[in-house]
Amino acid sequence: MSRRTPFPGGYPGAPRPADEAPAGGGHPAPSRLRSMTRSVPAPRRPALAAAVEGLRWKPRQRSVVTARPAVAWLSGSLFIATGLAVILSTYMPSASAERDVLVVRVVNWIAVLSGIGMILLRGRSTRLLPHITTAGGVLLITTALLSSGGGASAVAYAAVYCLAPGYAFMLLPPRSAAAHLVVTIAIGAPALSLESGVGVAEQVVVWAVASLLGAVVGWMAHALQRAEEDQLTSLANRRGLERALYEGIASSGSSRSLTYALIDIDHFKAWNDVHGRAAGDRLLQEAAQAWASVLPEHVTLGRLGADEFGLVMPQTTSARAAEVVARLHAALPVGVTCSAGLAQHEPGESASMLTARAESAVYTAKRDGRARTHEHTGAGPDGREVHEGLLRGEFVVHFQPIVDPRSGATVAAEALVRWRDPQGGLVPPIEFLPDAERSGAIIELGEWVLRTACTAAASWVPQDGQLPYVTVNASGRELQEPTYWRTVRSALADAGLPPERLVLELVESHYDIESLHLVNNLHQIRQLGVRTAMDDFGVGYSSLDRLRRSGVDILKIDKSFTDDICSSDAEAPLVRAILAMAQALGLRVVAEGVETQVQAEWLLANGCHAVQGWYYGRPRAVLQDVPASQERVVSPS
């Protein structure tokens, strides 16, 4: 459990942190589930030094290949391939009788062994490796050239020089690459002129091709960098950050040497509302400038969108990563804070799972009061088992009918996920959902449930001339995914289900989350024509203002309130109040947990639109009609 730190500073209009209001909704994790995360409060931040304010910031040049181990792989592979090609050529007839085959072979075997060494030692590579590789390659090429015997062999070996500027312009800033091109020509041209049978024409062709190749590769690298650059902050954008993450994971192999961090500016939406979008853009630029100035050379900082940043830290343990992120907290201007989530890559873990764990950690940091760093210490058995269970087909979706108490017709069904454990039967959601959400596995599981439910609903037959709709629970983690609404759109399209036949259920606590992604997802989902329902209404920190702002279409009365209806003349004031409020606001109401005929009759008499509970049917793999004995709980008058 994390320690709270006072909210430092602030600005006019900043909302209270989420932890100042009790969170509502959701299910508590059972005691047997161990927490997989830990929080570290952010340190106090000194103000930015006045000397750096107003200075024009130029972002550090990013390489097309960002991870050092990936650079080592590329460099080593280039040395091995080129060396073996030249060695193979020495066993073939040559136009030059004076070629010193032994020297050429020795030189190129040195190149091959050097390449093997680069690959084997890639975990210890230095940022100077591109410089060393380019310079060393030029020296080896020159040595082989001087032993070529002149003529066509000399020109052929000199053609290998063209690789040097191409390699340099791919991995180095333009000025450094241009310097390597000049050095290559300065060394190679005199060496080539010493060989017999090589004239000015051959020199012009070789160095013109080398220069043009360097220019073309440099242009392509620049175009790729522009495509992966955030226009506002000049940092990497989402595409560039994802590439750096994939490269880092591929290079880390089975080691735990990569850490990924997500950082959100706290209360950024409120900042925009109070100060305007231009001021919000300046804040993002200032944060990017301050952060880039305190980060190590080998990490990649990028902006994912809005106020969300990502940080890929290869060859960095979680403890070292926490120190790096602490610098980011400290570098922000006075009155501005950020929340950060850390996740260290585990062997065999995919990029999506690592990202989900980092997102879970930053979500927890916000929930615990913001202005802090939260570390997700592992995917845990539940996260991995959920993923493996999906691959094995162990999850099933059951449907519980939602009934119109006036006609007895099934108007909808709620999709409820169950885990069919081969050894222990059906596992209830309370046993695996809390930890699946903490681990990030809920993203994959939630999409599977959504698609399965939509496909099933598309095959349902009309009830009293009306096609039932399906309701699917959406977790807070899913709603913070930037592309969640696209997942919903895709699921509807693939299943052929009209949007008006899908309802997404949310709990009240989701509206406490200050997330631009969540707000955008809800907006886009409504634009699709999908309705939303507020589940377990009244259990959490309910307010009329939140209800008004949420834009929900349906209220679901929690079972704890339905349980108050114990007789036909029961008062149940809270249920009456919710029904009256919903009628005034034009919302439909579904009462959950209806288990007796008395409850069903009371709800019908008091104007409840729909009911759900064991009295009408338990969740089943196939949506079934309601038994005739329960179709009409009160005879129509």
Side-chain angles (χ1 to χ4, degrees):
M1 183 174 180
S2 61
R3 292 180 287 120
R4 301 271 174 89
T5 56
F7 183 69
Y11 43 86
R16 296 164 63 190
D19 63 304
E20 292 186 16
H27 299 286
S31 58
R32 73 174 186 84
L33 293 176
R34 64 184 181 91
S35 173
M36 304 300 296
T37 56
R38 65 172 183 264
S39 291
V40 181
R44 289 188 174 274
R45 305 165 322 285
L48 285 176
V52 302
E53 292 185 0
L55 293 179
R56 182 174 179 81
W57 169 59
K58 293 184 179 179
R60 187 167 61 234
Q61 178 76 30
R62 293 189 307 277
S63 167
V64 173
V65 182
T66 54
R68 289 183 190 172
V71 172
W73 263 107
L74 175 62
S75 306
S77 300
L78 184 63
F79 264 54
I80 292 171
T82 305
L84 290 177
V86 176
I87 291 172
L88 181 62
S89 72
T90 62
Y91 292 95
M92 301 176 182
S94 172
S96 175
E98 300 180 4
R99 181 177 58 170
D100 192 334
V101 174
L102 178 60
V103 174
V104 172
R105 289 175 182 172
V106 169
V107 166
N108 283 277
W109 273 116
I110 292 175
V112 170
L113 294 175
S114 298
I116 294 173
M118 292 179 201
I119 294 176
L120 294 178
L121 300 176
R122 61 188 180 278
R124 302 178 184 178
S125 60
T126 170
R127 64 186 179 88
L128 297 177
L129 180 61
H131 297 280
I132 297 172
T133 301
T134 306
V138 169
L139 292 177
L140 290 174
I141 296 168
T142 303
T143 304
L145 172 62
L146 294 175
S147 304
S148 65
S153 294
V155 175
Y157 289 176
V160 183
Y161 279 123
C162 296
L163 294 176
Y167 172 88
F169 276 97
M170 179 186 295
L171 298 179
L172 294 172
R175 290 183 181 178
S176 298
H180 277 289
L181 174 61
V182 171
V183 171
T184 300
I185 296 175
I187 294 175
L192 186 56
S193 66
L194 295 176
E195 298 301 306
S196 60
V198 179
V200 176
E202 289 79 8
Q203 291 266 16
V204 170
V205 170
V206 169
W207 303 120
V209 170
S211 301
L212 287 173
L213 180 61
V216 170
V217 172
W219 178 84
M220 293 176 63
H222 177 72
L224 178 59
Q225 290 165 2
R226 292 290 295 174
E228 296 183 349
E229 182 178 284
D230 178 61
Q231 298 303 307
L232 179 64
T233 62
S234 296
L235 300 175
N237 60 15
R238 178 178 293 275
R239 182 189 300 177
L241 199 65
E242 287 177 349
R243 181 173 63 84
L245 181 60
Y246 284 123
E247 287 180 3
I249 290 175
S251 301
S252 63
S254 60
S255 65
R256 297 166 58 95
S257 60
L258 179 138
T259 304
Y260 183 59
L262 285 176
I263 308 105
D264 283 3
I265 304 292
D266 292 332
H267 306 299
F268 182 71
K269 184 177 183 297
W271 180 280
N272 270 344
D273 292 342
V274 173
H275 301 286
R277 293 191 61 181
D281 288 348
R282 287 194 298 272
L283 174 61
L284 294 175
Q285 290 170 333
E286 186 175 356
Q289 173 183 351
W291 288 345
S293 66
V294 299
L295 288 174
E297 288 283 337
H298 66 285
V299 307
T300 301
L301 174 67
R303 178 170 173 249
L304 295 167
D307 64 324
E308 186 178 12
F309 295 81
L311 184 61
V312 179
M313 294 174 277
Q315 300 173 296
T316 307
T317 63
S318 59
R320 175 60 179 157
E323 297 175 2
V324 172
V325 174
R327 299 181 196 172
L328 306 188
H329 285 285
L332 284 172
V334 172
V336 180
T337 62
C338 66
S339 300
L342 289 177
Q344 186 172 18
H345 179 254
E346 297 186 339
E349 186 177 26
S350 66
S352 59
M353 193 60 137
L354 176 64
T355 301
R357 291 201 295 117
E359 289 172 346
S360 178
V362 76
Y363 170 77
T364 305
K366 290 184 175 184
R367 186 193 63 193
D368 287 351
R370 297 185 172 89
R372 65 191 62 232
T373 297
H374 196 97
E375 181 187 351
H376 200 294
T377 57
D382 292 275
R384 287 192 294 271
E385 287 175 6
V386 166
H387 174 72
E388 294 168 358
L390 283 170
L391 294 178
R392 293 192 295 263
E394 294 175 358
F395 286 92
V396 294
V397 174
H398 286 182
F399 299 94
Q400 185 173 36
I402 299 174
V403 178
D404 183 344
R406 294 166 297 181
S407 65
T410 299
V411 296
E414 181 177 358
L416 301 167
V417 64
R418 299 290 186 265
W419 191 348
R420 184 181 286 117
D421 188 343
Q423 299 178 347
L426 283 180
V427 181
I430 191 62
E431 295 290 330
F432 62 86
L433 283 184
D435 219 39
E437 182 153 359
R438 278 195 297 269
S439 69
I442 194 68
I443 304 296
E444 184 180 10
L445 178 61
E447 180 176 352
W448 180 85
V449 172
L450 175 65
R451 291 184 177 277
T452 303
C454 288
T455 301
S459 66
W460 292 344
V461 297
Q463 300 279 326
D464 284 358
Q466 178 181 345
L467 278 170
Y469 62 86
V470 65
T471 73
V472 179
N473 291 276
S475 70
R477 289 284 296 102
E478 291 176 279
L479 289 167
Q480 290 188 81
E481 283 289 296
T483 58
Y484 178 69
W485 70 272
R486 290 193 176 95
T487 300
V488 174
R489 182 180 64 182
S490 173
L492 290 170
D494 292 346
L497 184 71
E500 61 270 15
R501 291 188 57 205
L502 173 64
V503 172
L504 294 177
E505 294 191 13
L506 300 80
V507 296
E508 291 181 76
S509 59
H510 292 163
Y511 296 96
D512 285 332
I513 304 170
E514 185 186 304
S515 167
L516 295 178
H517 295 317
L518 184 146
V519 173
N520 181 62
N521 276 324
L522 292 179
H523 171 73
Q524 296 290 349
I525 285 168
R526 294 190 187 101
Q527 291 293 106
L528 292 174
V530 175
R531 292 176 291 168
T532 56
M534 187 174 285
D535 197 13
D536 302 332
F537 180 73
V539 173
Y541 183 71
S542 303
S543 74
L544 293 177
D545 179 63
R546 173 192 286 160
L547 188 60
R548 176 183 60 82
R549 289 186 291 107
S550 66
V552 297
D553 305 283
I554 300 170
L555 292 182
K556 301 194 73 174
I557 300 176
D558 187 69
K559 181 182 183 300
S560 61
F561 298 128
T562 306
D563 289 342
D564 292 340
I565 306 172
C566 51
S567 65
S568 58
D569 58 351
E571 289 296 327
L574 291 177
V575 179
R576 289 183 188 272
I578 293 173
L579 290 170
M581 178 184 63
Q583 182 178 4
L585 295 174
L587 303 176
R588 294 187 61 81
V589 178
V590 177
E592 297 180 297
V594 180
E595 298 179 350
T596 67
Q597 182 174 351
V598 169
Q599 292 173 335
E601 292 176 350
W602 190 98
L603 290 164
L604 173 63
N606 284 272
C608 188
H609 302 102
V611 287
Q612 174 184 356
W614 284 7
Y615 180 72
Y616 291 96
R618 298 196 178 195
R620 298 185 183 279
V622 179
L623 182 63
Q624 298 179 340
D625 294 336
V626 177
S629 60
Q630 286 125 353
E631 282 187 353
R632 289 180 175 84
V633 296
V634 175
S635 300
S637 55

